Amino acid sequence: MAHDPASLSDAGRDLLLGSACVGCARPGRVLCGSCAVSLPRRGRVSWPSPTPTGLALPFAAGAYDGLLKALVNAHKEHGVLALAAPLGRVLGDVVHDLLGALDAGREAGTVLLVPVPSRGAVVRRRGHDPLLRVTRAAAVRLRRTGVDATVRRLLVPAGRVLDQTALDAGQRAANLSGSMRARRPCAADRRGRVLVVDDVLTTGSTAREAQRALEAAGVTVCGVATVAATRRRGPDGTRGSLPFSEPGH
Ligand SMILES: [Zn+2]
């Protein structure tokens, strides 16, 4: 394709890239009806392996594969903004189930969704902040189901990080250490239940760094909600089992 997506307006990108379903390539809407109904409606425990020490309870809707992966990438990298709503529904349902696991009979209160921050250069290259957009859609979904959810951008990037792609879990953790800081929380931030949100949980290092930065500012993190979680990799890099598992390892 000769067009540079970054040079196109939002509507133009949707028009250009939205001529077929991102899930099944059927001509028409960016997400066809049958792919939309096949999206996961539940969140599940998704501990990465190995789990970063002290990581708050992580929930995801499914493996970072197939339709979920196609949705996340088309929205994030290709600016198919119409996918923010279905991704937000998925993330909202993950948060809903995570809250159920956390609360178990406790009184519901305000839920603060804190997105992992995107670096300014990355936002400029993409032309939008995909995670913030999906998090806002998730908050809308939650409020419609009676959950008092609000998006709080408490985290900002700090320091330098290298591209994570080629790094293993230990290297990612070292690379990310100190890479975020929290804005000064207000009193309401301390009273609400704070969840870190991200699109994909890989090693858990990013979520753990977000949690560290918030805790350093006096904010307690109750859990981590992501759209998808990568499958575990075998020692030779082969595809491993699903990440979903019970806590305790
Ligand atoms: Zn489809």
Side-chain angles (χ1 to χ4, degrees):
M1 194 175 293
H3 299 279
D4 172 15
S7 69
L8 299 169
S9 68
D10 291 354
R13 277 181 294 186
D14 273 354
L15 209 60
L16 181 67
L17 299 163
S19 57
C21 173
V22 297
C24 67
R26 181 181 302 174
R29 291 148 66 183
V30 290
L31 181 65
C32 75
S34 49
C35 284
V37 297
S38 75
L39 283 170
R41 305 290 302 275
R42 303 299 306 266
R44 300 166 64 190
V45 179
S46 57
W47 291 105
S49 179
T51 300
T53 305
L55 182 69
L57 181 63
F59 263 49
Y64 184 55
D65 215 343
L67 180 57
L68 280 180
K69 185 173 184 176
L71 279 178
V72 168
N73 281 333
H75 178 255
K76 179 156 75 176
E77 302 298 347
H78 302 294
V80 186
L81 305 182
L83 296 175
L87 283 166
R89 284 196 291 276
V90 170
L91 183 61
D93 290 345
V94 169
V95 169
H96 183 274
D97 288 350
L98 171 55
L99 291 172
L102 289 170
D103 291 349
R106 273 193 288 155
E107 195 179 326
T110 302
V111 178
L112 305 176
L113 305 180
V114 180
V116 164
S118 299
R119 300 201 157 249
V122 176
V123 171
R124 283 192 292 279
R125 175 172 59 77
R126 290 185 177 134
H128 71 134
D129 188 334
L131 178 61
L132 180 61
R133 192 180 293 271
V134 171
T135 306
R136 284 176 172 154
V140 169
R141 167 79 165 182
L142 286 159
R143 288 196 293 270
R144 282 189 187 138
T145 62
V147 177
D148 180 17
T150 184
V151 180
R152 289 287 285 129
R153 299 170 73 184
L154 287 176
L155 291 169
V156 291
R160 284 169 56 87
V161 286
L162 305 172
D163 180 17
Q164 296 275 89
T165 324
L167 304 181
D168 66 23
Q171 290 167 326
R172 280 185 184 222
N175 185 36
L176 286 168
S177 178
S179 69
M180 297 175 207
R181 67 177 175 79
R183 295 191 171 102
R184 184 185 297 274
C186 64
D189 296 332
R190 297 177 198 275
R191 283 196 300 272
R193 284 166 303 165
V194 171
L195 305 180
V196 168
V197 299
D198 203 351
D199 51 5
V200 182
L201 187 83
T202 306
T203 63
S205 303
T206 302
R208 186 66 186 89
E209 168 62 12
Q211 183 184 340
R212 180 207 61 75
L214 287 164
E215 288 171 351
V219 175
T220 302
V221 174
C222 299
V224 176
T226 62
V227 171
T230 54
R231 291 169 183 267
R232 287 177 187 152
R233 300 278 159 178
D236 55 355
T238 54
R239 173 171 290 185
S241 58
L242 284 168
F244 304 110
S245 56
E246 295 306 312
H249 65 92

